[in-house]
């Protein structure tokens, strides 16, 4: 059973930065494409960044140029570097595998990111 644990969220001012981490049980990051999602109150969960098996990255237009996704397969950890944060980035952030044939893994607890002055 795969367990995903997100961490690194917090309260930051607009323009600030955070680095989120996603730890997975088992050596599975090299087996799938991975992504970061976020869900704000009253809104659907959306994919904001992804990284393929070959390392190619994609970003939602709303975060392009500000967020950077990466992973360290040896550490079974994925990261989301978030710069120039805006209030609209406020959400709970989750990690998962968007292209897995059987659907995503069970969702973790997520980590809360709040951008406010």
């Amino acid at each position: 059973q795969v367990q995903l644990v997100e961490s690194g969220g917090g309260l930051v001012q607009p323009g600030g930065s955070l680095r989120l981490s996603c730890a997975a049980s088992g050596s599975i990051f090299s087996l799938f494409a991975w992504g970061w999602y976020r869900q704000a109150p009253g809104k659907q969960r959306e994919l904001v960044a992804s990284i393929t098996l070959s390392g190619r990255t994609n970003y939602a237009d709303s975060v392009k140029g500000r967020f950077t996704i990466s992973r360290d397969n040896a550490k079974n950890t994925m990261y989301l570097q978030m710069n120039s944060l805006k209030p609209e980035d406020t959400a709970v952030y989750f990690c998962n595998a968007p292209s897995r044939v059987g659907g995503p893994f069970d969702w973790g607890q997520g980590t809360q990111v709040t951008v406010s002055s």
Side-chain angles (χ1 to χ4, degrees):
Q1 300 183 46
V2 174
Q3 183 174 9
L4 303 174
V5 180
E6 300 90 350
S7 62
L11 173 64
V12 297
Q13 296 181 352
S17 298
L18 284 173
R19 185 177 177 85
L20 307 184
S21 296
C22 170
S25 59
S27 301
I28 62 172
F29 278 115
S30 63
L31 303 179
F32 305 96
W34 288 89
W36 282 96
Y37 301 74
R38 68 185 182 189
Q39 186 169 27
K43 296 185 178 180
Q44 296 184 37
R45 181 154 41 208
E46 63 172 340
L47 180 67
V48 298
S50 63
I51 182 167
T52 69
L53 290 172
S54 63
R56 184 169 60 255
T57 58
N58 290 283
Y59 302 92
D61 289 340
S62 58
V63 308
K64 192 172 299 182
R66 301 187 297 118
F67 291 8
T68 303
I69 186 173
S70 62
R71 65 184 173 205
D72 186 335
N73 293 337
K75 296 181 179 179
N76 287 328
T77 304
M78 183 174 65
Y79 307 96
L80 184 68
Q81 179 65 49
M82 311 165 69
N83 299 326
S84 302
L85 284 163
K86 304 175 180 180
E88 49 264 45
D89 295 320
T90 296
V92 179
Y93 284 73
F94 303 86
C95 59
N96 220 310
S99 299
R100 182 169 173 262
V101 173
F105 294 105
D106 289 344
W107 297 96
Q109 294 279 77
T111 185
Q112 176 71 50
V113 171
T114 302
V115 185
S116 176
S117 58

